[in-house]
Amino acid sequence: MSDEADGLEARLRAYEGRPAAVAGVGRDPVNLPMIRHWCEAMGDANPAYTGADAIAPPTMLQAWIMRGLVTALEGSGGSSGQGGVGEGVGGRTGGRAAEYEELLGLLDAAGCTAVVATDCEQEYLRPLRPGDEVAFDTVIESVSGRKTTALGAGHFVTTRTDVRVAGELVGTHRFRILKYAPARRKPKERRPRPVINRDNAGFWEGVREHRLLIQRCTACDTLRFPWLPGCNACGAQEWDTVEASGEGAVFSYVVMHHPPFPAFSPPYAVGLIELAEGVRIVSDVVGVPYDKVRIGMPVRLEFRRYDEELVLPVFEGTVA
Ligand code: ZN
């Protein structure tokens, strides 16, 4: 580990035990309407959550300490924790202690600009009942060393929120986030390579020279495409080539939506192009939106480079 990384880790660890939110107060007392909505959303028909002696579902603990949407948007700052950040989710500002803001800022400055919630643990010490007024404090419990994950390298930050009613600890909510430097994206997937063999090598040589070559039987003059060893019409094996003019029209087409193959971005149109010379070739129809491709649309050949070694003949359409 470099001295620089060492120094960062020491600075991060100095935040362990320091506050993330202080003297937070639940936005609403524990109440039956919120309990009912929760149970309906969760499909939880447990009779303990209804009636005169109803308790709150224990897993609602976080619901009582979350900031409302409006206060979250206002982001009024300060450490008094009105509505609070007990849930420890990154991206909220108002109510967070300055120390927690500093810690996140330090991680941002170290390149760990992305955040993802990783897990949550709760402990319940006694049930919450309607009318209970919830207060909480959140502490930065731990900051991990640098960890490498599939998302990228970064540090896990664990906060622990102690939830109290009238001074009595009723539950704890431990929340872990990963602040990380997003991993570099994988190099772009490349298109599949053409299979080049001795029967079609001449065609691909032509493509490299930006020429679309059609085979012609030297016995009967029949043109053929794709390239084959013998003539479909007379069976002769002798041939030469003619270069396509590049003019053609869409004879038929499909629009690919699914499955998405690497290096292709659906939806896209694949055309069966009838060349002016009369033979047909399957290729991309480019230059027009996929949903504007039509049978009979005039197209013109062009050669498109996809990567350092792959050039393909494609056909540019024109919308009438
Ligand atoms: Zn022939």
Side-chain angles (χ1 to χ4, degrees), residues 231-299:
C231 175
N232 290 324
C234 74
Q237 295 189 11
E238 290 71 41
W239 52 269
D240 62 6
T241 60
V242 294
E243 183 177 349
S245 67
E247 302 299 330
V250 174
F251 182 81
S252 186
Y253 68 95
V254 293
V255 174
M256 279 294 295
H257 292 271
H258 193 81
F261 295 104
F264 291 80
S265 308
Y268 55 90
V270 180
L272 178 61
I273 308 301
E274 185 160 279
L275 299 178
E277 291 77 12
V279 296
R280 296 174 192 155
I281 174 174
V282 174
S283 184
D284 290 30
V285 181
V286 303
V288 290
Y290 69 90
D291 58 353
K292 297 286 189 242
V293 175
R294 294 289 181 271
I295 288 172
M297 172 184 278
V299 292

Side-chain angles (χ1 to χ4, degrees), residues 216-224 230-238:
R216 176 174 57 192
C217 173
T218 49
C220 74
D221 285 344
T222 301
L223 299 178
R224 63 178 189 260
C231 175
N232 290 324
C234 74
Q237 295 189 11
E238 290 71 41

Side-chain angles (χ1 to χ4, degrees), residues 59-81:
T59 48
M60 278 189 80
L61 187 63
Q62 187 181 359
W64 309 118
I65 58 177
M66 285 183 86
R67 294 163 56 77
L69 177 63
V70 171
T71 48
L73 291 175
E74 282 170 352
S76 54
S79 60
S80 62

Side-chain angles (χ1 to χ4, degrees), residues 203-214:
F203 170 75
W204 290 106
E205 279 169 31
V207 168
R208 275 196 292 279
E209 297 163 3
H210 289 199
R211 302 167 71 213
L212 183 62
L213 298 178
I214 302 166

